[in-house]
Amino acid sequence: MNNYSNALRKHHLKATPQRLEIANTLASYGHINIDNLYEILRKKFNSISLATIYKNINIMLENSFIQEVKIPHEKSVYELSKEAHSHLVCDKCGAIEDITLDLSQLSSTTATNTHFKIDKIDLVFSGICQKCQTL
Ligand SMILES: [Zn+2]
Ligand SMILES: [Zn+2]
């Protein structure tokens, strides 16, 4: 298990036991929604409330320690901050995979055609993952 104390401090966050557990959970699950995170954290901190988890998630988001992934028609999932990437979401099992794509061409063509000043692209591909295709 990784120790995220220093990483948290680098993001100006106090390394509380709850935040360390959130960091470790995100590291092992990759992407997780708040309900599942709550289920996991409750096993360790039996008096923790959903509100406390939201509060921690929000401050960790504000300080860019973690990032939110918005999945259409689903609850947002959270992951440890990393380089910009896109997501593949399986409609059958809900698995979420990271994929790094060069979107510079798409971005510049879109900006040229629409005169829109693009800050960010959130791309989610949905379909059936390899594992579910073989079931
Ligand atoms: Zn699947
Ligand atoms: Zn991701």
Side-chain angles (χ1 to χ4, degrees):
M1 217 188 255
N2 222 314
N3 188 334
Y4 287 98
S5 304
N6 286 330
L8 282 161
R9 282 190 211 104
K10 254 185 231 157
H11 289 264
H12 311 288
L13 291 162
K14 240 207 280 176
T16 63
Q18 289 85 352
R19 287 175 191 164
L20 287 169
E21 194 57 30
I22 291 173
N24 280 313
T25 306
L26 293 183
S28 55
Y29 285 80
H31 308 81
I32 192 165
N33 71 27
I34 203 108
D35 295 334
N36 294 336
L37 187 63
Y38 180 49
E39 284 309 309
I40 291 162
L41 262 75
R42 255 198 336 190
K43 286 180 191 140
K44 198 138 194 180
F45 309 98
N46 40 42
S47 62
I48 200 165
S49 68
L50 191 56
T52 302
I53 297 186
Y54 268 111
K55 232 188 281 171
N56 277 299
I57 285 291
N58 284 332
I59 188 147
M60 289 162 101
L61 278 173
E62 276 168 33
N63 293 24
S64 306
F65 182 73
I66 62 171
Q67 47 201 28
E68 179 178 9
V69 184
K70 292 184 176 136
I71 313 279
H73 317 297
E74 299 285 341
K75 289 203 161 184
S76 285
V77 294
Y78 301 92
E79 65 184 342
L80 295 171
S81 289
K82 54 189 133 174
E83 261 187 292
H85 59 275
S86 302
H87 291 96
L88 304 168
V89 180
C90 178
D91 286 331
K92 252 185 166 165
C93 70
I96 301 170
E97 287 171 46
D98 287 340
I99 180 169
T100 305
L101 299 168
D102 181 2
L103 301 173
S104 52
Q105 193 64 48
L106 180 67
S107 184
S108 64
T109 310
T110 305
T112 306
N113 292 346
T114 61
H115 304 288
F116 194 88
K117 189 188 156 290
I118 296 163
D119 288 328
K120 189 168 170 265
I121 309 177
D122 280 324
L123 206 54
V124 174
F125 297 81
S126 54
I128 311 293
C129 76
Q130 199 170 27
K131 216 163 102 192
C132 289
Q133 288 173 47
T134 59
L135 289 180

